[in-house]
Amino acid sequence: TVSRHCALLACKLPEYVLNPGDLVASAIGEILHECHTRLCEAVVAEDGWIANIEGSEITALFESPVTGRPDHALRAVRAALAMIMTGAKLRAAIEHKYPGRELPKLAPRICLHLGAVETHEYRTEAETKTRVLGPVAGGGMFCPIELINGPN
């Protein structure tokens, strides 16, 4: 277990898991894949890295020691805003691709944690992976970005 001082960004697309509307499973999988790709691009564009993707949830870390930059919190916030904008753009593209269907809204639910985070690294046959165990108790600030994102 490693304790890291960083900005942790958690992004979830709960609507497509809980309420897929009238979409079939293959369409939901295609939409989630496209969303993950675009949302991850927002993280990488701000020098963050993807720690984990599970279902409709992405966990990303923005560390200052890795890049030598003390602006990890600012980069995480910019990535979160880019994710929100990406969600709006993807919603329009999805509505165009699946016209006349009842679709759940595509509004990423995003939370940001600033401070200490516990991680665990483990090896698979192909690579080394990192699992975020969670914020260290009393180790920072956790903030859902709901006012920007709208009610969910």
Side-chain angles (χ1 to χ4, degrees):
T1 303
V2 177
S3 181
R4 303 170 186 264
H5 183 78
C6 62
L8 178 146
L9 188 150
C11 175
K12 189 168 187 170
L13 299 165
E15 294 84 10
Y16 280 90
V17 176
L18 300 175
N19 178 23
D22 64 356
L23 293 174
V24 296
S26 61
I28 295 168
E30 181 182 326
I31 290 168
L32 284 177
H33 176 73
E34 181 68 18
C35 288
H36 283 157
T37 300
R38 299 282 177 86
L39 295 174
C40 289
E41 288 171 355
V43 170
V44 173
E46 293 295 339
D47 292 330
W49 58 279
I50 306 302
N52 194 34
I53 296 177
E54 263 186 48
S56 67
E57 190 168 325
I58 298 169
T59 305
L61 296 176
F62 296 80
E63 296 180 273
S64 98
V66 171
T67 60
R69 296 168 54 186
D71 63 344
H72 56 286
L74 178 60
R75 290 183 289 120
V77 169
R78 283 195 307 245
L81 293 173
M83 288 175 147
I84 292 167
M85 298 304 295
T86 296
K89 289 176 188 174
L90 283 172
R91 170 67 188 206
I94 291 165
E95 287 176 345
H96 184 320
K97 186 172 183 172
Y98 299 100
R101 296 203 180 186
E102 183 179 325
L103 300 171
K105 65 181 180 175
L106 182 58
R109 183 172 284 172
I110 299 172
C111 288
L112 186 63
H113 168 79
L114 305 173
V117 173
E118 298 254 327
T119 62
H120 173 71
E121 293 184 358
Y122 60 98
R123 288 180 132 12
T124 66
E125 289 182 17
E127 60 190 338
T128 300
K129 294 188 173 191
T130 301
R131 163 107 25 217
V132 175
L133 303 176
V136 173
M141 175 180 74
F142 191 73
C143 175
I145 303 178
E146 304 243 14
L147 294 176
I148 297 170
N149 202 12
N152 288 307

